[in-house]
Amino acid sequence: MSIQTLVILGVFAPLLGAMIAGFFGRRIGDIASQAVTTGLLFFSCVISWIVFSKWTWGGLEAFTVKLLPFIHVGDFQSNWSIRIDAMSATMLIVVTSVSALVHMYSWGYMKEDDSRPRFFAYLSLFTFMMLSLVTAADFLQMFFGWEGVGLASYLLIGFWYKKPSATAASIKAFVVNRVGDFGFLLGMMTIFWMFGTIEFAKLFPLIADKAGTGWEFLGYNWLALDLAGFLLFIGAMGKSAQFFLHTWLPDAMEGPTPVSALIHAATMVTAGVYMVCLLSPLYENAPVATQFITIIGGVTAIFAATVGMMQNDIKRVIAYSTCSQLGYMFFAAGVGAYQSAMFHLFTHAFFKALLFLGAGSVIHGMHHEQDMRKMGGLWKLLPITYATMMIGTIAITGLGIPGIGGFAGFYSKDSILESAYASAASGHAVFGMFAFTIGIMAALLTAYYSWRLVFMTFHNKAQWKEEEGAAHHDDHHAAVAHDDHAADDHAHDDHHHGPLHPHESPWIMVLPLLVLSVGAVFAGMVFAPHFIGHHEGEFWRGAIFTSAANHVLHESHNVPTWVKWAPLIVTLIGTFAAYWLYVVKEGAAKQMAEKKGALYTFLYNKWFWDELYNVTFVKGAKALGDFFWKIGDVKIIDGLGPNGAAWASLKSGGWLSRFQSGFVYFYAFVMLIGVALFLAFAIFTWGA
C-alpha cells in the first residue's frame, strides 16, 4: 500500500468513527462506540508516526493528493486535497497522538456518563476537522477545517447542555471565534484579489513579486501584503485565543476535562500558530503585520501569566497557561523564528495534554472538585498522578541547565527567548527586545503559578478533610439540596456530599499520563536537532520560508551567555517564591488574597476584560436592539406603516360612512349637487 493511500485512510478514519458512533451509537452501545472511535484514532496515530518517521529519517518527499473538486466558480478554484510536508507531518502526529490518548483516557473519565456515544462521536469529529485543516492545500479547505473545529468545540464545550454555565461557555466560544473568522475570510478574499489563486503551491512563489505593492493613505504607504497578513492573523487571534479575542478560552473549561486537553494541547488553539508559520512566505514580506503579531503575542504571554497566578480552579490555571504559551509561539513567529514557534507547539502538546489529563485525574480522585483551595496533601493518595504532574510542571516551566539539557519545554522555550534576543540584535531592536523582556517576565510567572498549583494540590494541609467535617455538619441540608436539584444536574457536576476518599485513577486513565510523560521528558532532547538544530534545513525542506535577511534562528545559537542563563534564573526565582508562600509560609498567600488589594482585584478579575466586553458589546448590542425595536420598529415603521395606515383608514372610513345614510332622497340630493357643480365648472370654463 502506498504512503499516499495510507495518509488518506489516516485522515478519514476519525470521520468514519464519528459517523458510526454518532448515527448508530444507541444501537451498538457505549462500549462498541468507544472501541470503534478509539481504535480508528490509534490507527490514524500509527499512520501519522509512520509518515513523520519517513519524513524525518526516511527521505520522504513532499506530495499533494487531489481527491475531488471542492468549489469551482469561475477563476475561483478549490480542490479537496491532502498535502504532506514537514509542517503537516508534524501536526499529524501532534493531533492524532494527543487525540488517541484523550479517547483512551475518556473511557475512564466518562464512565458514569450516559451519553458516551455522542461524546466520542464529537471527539472524533473534532479530530477529523483538525486533520482537514492541517493537510489543506488551499485556503478554502483550511477554512472548512477552521470552521469545523469551531463547530466541534461548540458541541464539546456545551456537552453537558443541562448545565447553564456550559451552554453559555459554548455560545461564547462560538461567537468570539466568529469575530476572528470574519478576519480570516477577508484575508482569503484579499489573497485571491491580489494573486488570483488560493492554492498554497501556486501562491507562495508569487508573493515576492508583490512585496512592494500598496497604496498611499493618510500620508503613509500601506502594503497590500501587510493588509492580508493582518486580516489572516485576526483569524488566528480568535482561534488561538490571543489578547482581545482570548475571553472564550478559560470559559471552555466548562466542558469535560478530556475536551480541555484536546482543545488546549494539540488542536484548535494551535491552528492559528500553524497558519502563521505555514504562511511564512507571506509574513516574511509583511513587516508591519509581523510587528503586530509580536506585540499581540508578547502582551498575551504576560497577560495570561498574571491572571493565571490568581486562579483557584485547577483547570483554569492550566487554561491561562495555554494562553500564555501560545503568546510565546506567536511572538517567536513575529520575530522570524517560525521553526522555534513550531517546535514549542510540538513540545507543548505533550506537557500541556499531560497537565490537563493530570488535572482531570485529580478532579476524578476528588469526586469532581476543581477548587485547589479545597485540596492539599494528595501526593500520597494519588502517587502516579502526582509524579506525572511534576514532570509536566518541570517541562512547562522550562527547567534545564544550558549546555546540559532538561525536559521538553527547556529546549523550545529557551529557543524562543534566544531568537527574540537575536532579533533585537540584528536590526529589530524595539520589537525583539520587547518580546525577549516579556518572555523572561512570563517565564518567571509561569514557574510561580505552575508550582503554586502543585503545592496547593498535592502538598500542604489536606483542606478536603476540613471540607469533609463541614459536610458532615451540614449533612441534612446537603441531602435536601441534592434531592431538589438532582433532576437537573449531571453526574459530573454534582458537588460531593459526605465522606471524601481521594483515590488514584484507574489504569485506563493513568496509562495516557505515563505515555505523555515520556514525551514531556524526551521530545525536546530528541527532536531539537531536527526542528531548530543542525538538521533543521534537512527537516523543514522549504516548508518554512525565511528570507535572505532573516538569520534569527542561526544567530539564536550565538547569543551571550547571560541570555542563555536568564530563563533558568527567573524560573528558579518563581519556583522559590511559590515554595516560600505556599509551603514555608503556608497561609501567607491566603492572607494576602483576603485583603483584596487593588492589584489582586485587578488580576483576579482578569484585567476586567469580561466586564468591559459586557458593558460595551453585550449591553451595547442590547441597547441598540432595543432602540431599533422600540423606536425604529414600533414607533416609526409600525407607526407610519401598518398601525398608521390602519388608523387613517379607520378615521377616513368613519367620516365617509356618514354619507352612507341609505335614503334615496339623500343620494338624489348628492347627485343634484354634483350636477350643479359640473355645470358651474363648464360655464366658468366656456365663459373664459
Side-chain angles (χ1 to χ4, degrees):
M1 187 178 293
S2 67
I3 192 70
Q4 289 85 353
T5 303
L6 279 176
V7 171
I8 294 171
L9 293 175
V11 169
F12 284 95
L15 177 61
L16 177 62
M19 294 173 65
I20 294 173
F23 294 142
F24 308 107
R26 291 187 177 182
R27 292 187 178 183
I28 64 178
D30 295 345
I31 301 300
S33 298
Q34 295 174 188
V36 168
T37 52
T38 305
L40 288 171
L41 246 300
F42 273 95
F43 172 74
S44 290
C45 181
V46 170
I47 290 176
S48 298
W49 276 100
I50 291 173
V51 172
F52 183 76
S53 299
K54 285 182 175 292
W55 180 270
T56 307
W57 295 289
L60 179 67
E61 294 298 325
F63 64 86
T64 300
V65 181
K66 291 185 178 180
L67 301 180
L68 69 160
F70 188 25
I71 293 181
H72 288 183
V73 180
D75 294 333
F76 189 89
Q77 304 286 313
S78 176
N79 298 301
W80 192 278
S81 306
I82 295 178
R83 174 186 53 83
I84 295 297
D85 59 9
M87 295 281 290
S88 57
T90 300
M91 293 302 295
L92 281 177
I93 62 167
V94 167
V95 173
T96 57
S97 297
V98 173
S99 183
L101 293 173
V102 166
H103 273 70
M104 176 189 288
Y105 180 92
S106 299
W107 281 56
Y109 194 87
M110 302 297 290
K111 184 178 180 180
E112 301 172 4
D113 198 282
D114 56 1
S115 300
R116 278 174 284 170
R118 179 166 62 92
F119 179 77
F120 280 85
Y122 289 168
L123 283 184
S124 290
L125 176 64
F126 193 110
T127 307
F128 166 71
M129 290 300 181
M130 192 67 193
L131 294 178
S132 300
L133 190 160
V134 301
T135 59
D138 63 38
F139 275 106
L140 193 61
Q141 185 185 336
M142 177 180 278
F143 188 69
F144 170 83
W146 197 271
E147 293 300 292
V149 293
L151 168 64
S153 68
Y154 168 80
L155 297 173
L156 286 167
I157 295 168
F159 178 76
W160 290 325
Y161 56 86
K162 292 183 180 180
K163 184 180 176 184
S165 58
T167 305
S170 64
I171 294 173
K172 185 176 183 179
F174 196 81
V175 171
V176 172
N177 273 276
R178 297 294 73 72
V179 176
D181 294 347
F182 184 63
F184 187 111
L185 270 176
L186 293 177
M188 180 168 61
M189 293 175 186
T190 304
I191 291 293
F192 183 72
W193 166 67
M194 291 179 64
F195 300 98
T197 182
I198 58 170
E199 187 177 342
F200 300 139
K202 295 179 180 178
L203 169 67
F204 292 161
L206 303 175
I207 289 177
D209 294 335
K210 296 278 189 178
T213 304
W215 62 92
E216 288 284 339
F217 183 67
L218 297 178
Y220 185 80
N221 185 39
W222 301 85
L223 298 180
L225 291 177
D226 274 322
L227 174 63
F230 172 78
L231 291 172
L232 290 168
F233 179 64
I234 296 298
M237 287 174 63
K239 200 64 68 183
S240 296
Q242 292 300 283
F243 197 63
F244 295 123
L245 297 179
H246 64 277
T247 54
W248 69 269
L249 193 60
D251 289 1
M253 297 302 98
E254 293 293 337
T257 299
V259 173
S260 304
L262 191 59
I263 291 177
H264 285 246
T267 52
M268 182 168 164
V269 296
T270 61
V273 179
Y274 167 77
M275 182 183 71
V276 170
C277 294
L278 177 66
L279 299 180
S280 55
L282 169 64
Y283 285 106
E284 282 291 273
N285 293 282
V288 177
T290 54
Q291 291 169 1
F292 181 72
I293 292 173
T294 303
I295 293 172
I296 292 297
V299 172
T300 304
I302 195 67
F303 157 76
T306 58
V307 175
M309 293 165 53
M310 302 299 175
Q311 299 301 302
N312 296 310
D313 185 307
I314 188 171
K315 287 170 64 177
R316 284 181 179 261
V317 174
I318 305 173
Y320 278 106
S321 168
T322 297
C323 202
S324 182
Q325 297 302 309
L326 288 167
Y328 270 96
M329 299 175 207
F330 275 114
F331 76 65
V335 300
Y338 308 99
Q339 299 90 337
S340 298
M342 283 299 298
F343 188 33
H344 198 52
L345 184 158
F346 176 77
T347 61
H348 176 263
F350 292 102
F351 55 73
K352 185 52 58 70
L354 174 59
L355 288 171
F356 264 117
L357 296 185
S361 182
V362 172
I363 295 168
H364 182 270
M366 287 289 294
H367 300 276
H368 306 286
E369 178 59 68
Q370 296 183 197
D371 193 334
M372 297 187 299
R373 293 170 297 185
K374 299 178 182 179
M375 298 181 185
L378 295 178
W379 72 276
K380 290 183 179 180
L381 301 173
L382 287 73
I384 301 177
T385 300
Y386 171 64
T388 55
M389 287 284 281
M390 286 286 287
I391 291 173
T393 300
I394 295 172
I396 195 172
T397 57
L399 193 62
I401 301 175
I404 297 179
F407 287 5
F410 163 74
Y411 294 91
S412 55
K413 185 198 71 176
D414 280 26
S415 175
I416 289 176
L417 294 174
E418 291 163 8
S419 296
Y421 184 86
S423 172
S426 61
H428 302 85
V430 175
F431 296 97
M433 190 53 66
F434 167 79
F436 175 74
T437 304
I438 289 293
I440 289 294
M441 294 170 59
L444 186 151
L445 299 180
T446 300
Y448 174 81
Y449 67 68
S450 298
W451 287 108
R452 170 181 178 265
L453 183 152
V454 171
F455 297 144
M456 289 183 70
T457 304
F458 296 102
H459 295 275
N460 299 344
K461 295 179 181 177
Q463 301 295 332
W464 49 272
K465 290 185 178 180
E466 297 182 11
E467 293 290 326
E468 179 183 344
H472 279 305
H473 183 70
D474 296 328
D475 266 347
H476 174 70
H477 300 289
V480 172
H482 182 272
D483 290 340
D484 288 342
H485 296 89
D488 297 323
D489 288 340
H490 191 281
H492 280 270
D493 304 317
D494 290 336
H495 291 292
H496 180 76
H497 301 292
L500 186 62
H501 301 290
H503 56 83
E504 186 61 270
S505 298
W507 71 267
I508 199 71
M509 294 173 63
V510 168
L511 185 58
L513 299 181
L514 298 175
V515 174
L516 289 168
S517 295
V518 175
V521 174
F522 296 108
M525 183 188 311
V526 173
F527 292 103
H530 299 281
F531 281 81
I532 58 172
H534 53 278
H535 295 306
E536 171 263 329
E538 300 171 14
F539 178 79
W540 295 111
R541 282 179 249 164
I544 288 179
F545 171 78
T546 52
S547 65
N550 184 349
H551 304 289
V552 169
L553 186 64
H554 175 72
E555 294 298 328
S556 69
H557 301 299
N558 303 313
V559 296
T561 303
W562 71 267
V563 175
K564 294 180 178 290
W565 284 87
L568 174 60
I569 294 171
V570 297
T571 297
L572 292 176
I573 293 173
T575 303
F576 177 75
Y579 179 75
W580 180 265
L581 287 173
Y582 289 93
V583 178
V584 177
K585 297 290 184 181
E586 184 179 350
K590 180 180 179 181
Q591 294 173 2
M592 293 168 61
E594 289 174 347
K595 294 180 180 179
K596 296 183 178 179
L599 181 60
Y600 171 83
T601 303
F602 179 69
L603 298 180
Y604 183 77
N605 288 283
K606 302 161 287 187
W607 293 22
F608 291 101
W609 276 103
D610 282 315
E611 289 77 5
L612 177 62
Y613 282 175
N614 185 56
V615 170
T616 54
F617 294 112
V618 178
K619 291 185 177 179
K622 185 177 183 298
L624 189 63
D626 286 344
F627 171 79
F628 283 120
W629 166 41
K630 295 178 180 178
I631 306 298
D633 190 14
V634 175
K635 292 189 176 181
I636 298 178
I637 297 176
D638 288 348
L640 298 178
N643 294 342
W647 178 85
S649 299
L650 181 64
K651 290 295 183 181
S652 59
W655 182 75
L656 291 174
S657 67
R658 296 177 182 178
F659 293 94
Q660 306 299 319
S661 64
F663 296 108
V664 175
Y665 68 82
F666 179 79
Y667 298 131
F669 179 69
V670 171
M671 291 175 65
L672 181 62
I673 293 175
V675 171
L677 290 173
F678 175 75
L679 291 174
F681 174 76
I683 294 171
F684 177 78
T685 303
W686 293 335

